Amino acid sequence: MKVLVLGDCKPLGAKLVSNLRQLGYPVVADADPRLPAALHGIEVLIDVREPPVLDTAGALADWAGACRQLNAAIAAAAVAHHIALSALGVQRLQSSNYYRAIALREQLIQAGSTPYTVLRAAPLYESLAQLAHKGAAHDELTIPVALVQAMAAEDLAMLVADAALARPLQGCMDVAGPQKMAMADWVQQYLRLQGDARTVQGDADLPYRGALLDDDCLVPVGPARLGRTTLAAWVCKSRAA
């Protein structure tokens, strides 16, 4: 099984490529899928790219065009399985350009002819930790209070690899971490584990990625695949790296 991974320049993509290669599968990393040679012999295409910043009127249309081009290219190459990363809450957070772009990619994949699996993932530990570091100059941070079931990029990479080895789901699957807590509490616990004395104030009216959060929009609402790495274990491992 030959695999093409789009987005290997990000930590998640790099971990995914490493996992698949350790399992013995030939992996092509971030070749241009618009070129027929890049898709030669590819059986599984995995797209873990983040959508671009949609800050102009035509940006969403450009993104849609790029998604359609990719779908057409993999259909023409008879790729057997298209796997794409999405996000929990994608259907409920359409006031955010980020979530609108992800939802559009989902819709176009579902409307295409290639068998597919869409993984709707919880926010990553790595991305939530950035919220803490962005406020490093302040004694108190203000963070949304909605529940989150965050997960480690390493766990998500393993679950994406599992999806690549399985039959296409022809649907969406929720993936998340092992612990559910308010985002503000998550950041506060992260700071304490880091030995950081700053405090966190929760704010229900503070947007996340440009959208106001309902209390349960970032946690699975039904069956889900869960990673095993706790926040404490992740911080410990990050320090040792």
Side-chain angles (χ1 to χ4, degrees), residues 114-210:
T114 302
Y116 70 91
T117 299
V118 171
L119 300 176
R120 289 177 173 167
L124 296 178
Y125 291 161
E126 289 81 355
S127 63
L128 292 185
Q130 290 177 4
L131 297 179
H133 296 308
K134 285 180 179 178
H138 305 282
D139 293 332
E140 183 178 271
L141 300 177
T142 305
I143 302 293
V145 297
L147 291 174
V148 65
Q149 202 163 327
M151 65 189 307
E154 184 174 1
D155 286 353
L156 180 54
M158 291 177 63
L159 293 173
V160 176
D162 286 348
L165 305 181
R167 298 180 63 181
L169 187 62
Q170 288 298 104
C172 301
M173 178 173 65
D174 290 352
V175 293
Q179 300 166 291
K180 183 189 299 184
M181 65 183 83
M183 188 180 295
D185 293 342
W186 190 99
V187 174
Q188 184 69 82
Q189 184 174 337
Y190 170 75
L191 291 175
R192 288 172 178 164
L193 289 168
Q194 294 280 25
D196 191 320
R198 287 177 295 157
T199 59
V200 174
Q201 177 68 39
D203 184 351
D205 295 321
L206 187 68
Y208 173 74
R209 292 190 181 274

Side-chain angles (χ1 to χ4, degrees), residues 2 28 35-43 77 79:
K2 189 176 179 182
V28 178
L35 302 176
L39 293 173
H40 179 72
I42 297 296
E43 297 176 62
V79 172

Side-chain angles (χ1 to χ4, degrees), residues 63-76:
W63 169 249
C67 291
R68 290 189 179 97
Q69 283 185 335
L70 175 60
N71 291 349
I74 64 177

